[in-house]
C-alpha cells in the first residue's frame, strides 16, 4: 500500500478521533482495489490498528518524532511512517482536546451547608418532636464557566450518622489506593 493511500486513510481516522465522524465510503474506496487484494477483515484490521496507534499516541502525548521512530522499529517503511506521523502531528492537539472534552467527569463537591431542625408539630401530626438534618450540597465541574448545581435533602439523625460513617469508610479506602 502506498504512503499516499496510508496518509488518506489516516486523515479519515483522524477525523473520527477528533469527533468529526468517519466517512466509510472514502475508506472503502481507499482500501478496495484490484491491486491491493485486501479482504474485509484486512481492511478492518488496518483501520483498527491505525486508530489504536494514533489514539493512544495522542492520549499519552507522544511527540511526532518519537512516534515515527517507534513505527519504524515495528518494521513499517519510512515513507509510510512519515505519512502517518504528518497527519498525527497536525491533529494531535485537536485529538487531545476532543478526548478531554469527551472523558468522564464527575461533579465535585464545591460547598456543603447543613442545619439541624427540630420539628415540634406539623399540620398532620400535632406532636411530632423529631430532629431532622438538612444538607445542601453545591456540586460543580472543574470548569469555571458553569454554574453549580445544588442538591438538598433531609435525613433523620440516625441516617445522618450512617451517612457520615460510610463516607469515613470510603475516605479510608481511597487513602489506601
Amino acid at each position: 500500500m502506498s504512503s499516499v493511500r496510508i496518509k488518506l486513510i489516516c486523515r479519515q481516522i483522524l477525523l473520527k478521533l477528533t469527533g468529526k465522524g468517519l466517512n466509510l465510503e472514502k475508506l472503502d474506496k481507499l482500501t478496495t482495489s484490484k491491486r491491493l487484494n485486501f479482504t474485509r477483515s484486512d481492511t478492518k484490521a488496518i483501520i483498527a490498528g491505525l486508530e489504536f496507534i494514533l489514539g493512544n499516541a495522542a492520549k499519552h502525548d507522544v511527540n511526532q518524532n518519537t512516534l515515527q521512530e517507534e513505527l519504524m522499529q515495528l518494521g513499517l517503511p519510512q515513507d509510510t511512517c512519515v505519512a502517518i506521523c504528518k497527519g498525527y502531528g497536525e491533529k494531535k492537539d485537536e485529538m487531545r482536546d476532543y478526548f478531554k472534552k469527551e472523558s468522564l467527569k464527575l461533579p465535585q463537591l464545591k460547598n456543603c451547608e447543613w442545619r439541624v431542625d427540630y420539628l415540634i408539630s406539623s399540620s398532620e401530626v400535632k406532636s411530632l418532636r423529631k430532629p431532622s438534618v438538612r444538607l445542601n450540597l453545591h456540586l460543580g465541574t472543574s470548569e469555571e464557566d458553569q454554574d453549580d448545581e445544588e442538591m438538598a435533602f433531609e435525613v433523620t439523625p440516625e441516617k445522618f450518622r450512617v451517612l457520615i460513617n460510610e463516607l469515613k469508610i470510603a475516605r479510608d479506602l481511597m487513602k489506601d489506593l
Side-chain angles (χ1 to χ4, degrees):
M1 184 177 293
S2 72
S3 62
V4 174
R5 235 180 244 264
I6 290 288
K7 181 179 177 181
L8 294 171
I9 291 171
C10 282
R11 188 174 293 160
Q12 291 303 311
I13 292 170
L14 289 167
L15 285 174
K16 179 184 179 193
L17 293 174
T18 55
K20 296 177 181 149
L22 186 66
N23 189 335
L24 293 173
E25 292 174 8
K26 282 188 181 179
L27 274 174
D28 195 40
K29 286 180 184 177
L30 291 169
T31 55
T32 55
S33 169
K34 291 179 183 177
R35 238 177 11 128
L36 295 176
N37 199 21
F38 286 142
T39 64
R40 181 64 79 189
S41 62
D42 291 339
T43 302
K44 287 180 182 179
I46 291 169
I47 293 168
L50 286 171
E51 186 176 344
F52 179 80
I53 290 169
L54 294 170
N56 280 302
K59 184 169 71 170
H60 296 291
D61 201 18
V62 175
N63 69 39
Q64 188 175 347
N65 293 332
T66 304
L67 179 62
Q68 184 173 338
E69 289 172 16
E70 294 294 327
L71 290 173
M72 286 174 53
Q73 286 179 2
L74 289 174
L76 292 175
Q78 184 174 3
D79 58 336
T80 301
C81 295
V82 170
I84 292 170
C85 293
K86 185 176 180 189
Y88 168 76
E90 293 168 357
K91 297 286 185 178
K92 176 183 165 187
D93 292 333
E94 196 175 335
M95 280 190 291
R96 290 183 58 80
D97 291 341
Y98 178 71
F99 293 161
K100 189 183 297 183
K101 184 183 91 174
E102 292 298 313
S103 67
L104 175 65
K105 294 180 192 101
L106 298 174
Q108 297 175 346
L109 180 63
K110 298 285 186 174
N111 190 17
C112 177
E113 299 169 354
W114 60 275
R115 103 177 163 229
V116 178
D117 295 330
Y118 188 76
L119 304 172
I120 299 172
S121 66
S122 72
S123 61
E124 296 177 12
V125 180
K126 293 202 181 215
S127 178
L128 192 58
R129 298 183 190 260
K130 287 191 175 183
S132 174
V133 178
R134 178 163 178 84
L135 291 169
N136 287 334
L137 304 176
H138 299 275
L139 306 172
T141 60
S142 60
E143 299 169 6
E144 302 298 329
D145 58 347
Q146 292 189 344
D147 294 331
D148 290 346
E149 176 185 347
E150 185 175 324
M151 179 181 286
F153 58 94
E154 287 188 41
V155 293
T156 63
E158 295 82 27
K159 286 186 180 181
F160 182 70
R161 278 189 221 103
V162 170
L163 174 66
I164 293 295
N165 187 39
E166 289 185 3
L167 287 173
K168 286 179 182 178
I169 291 169
R171 181 190 62 203
D172 292 342
L173 288 172
M174 290 175 63
K175 282 183 183 177
D176 293 340
L177 294 178

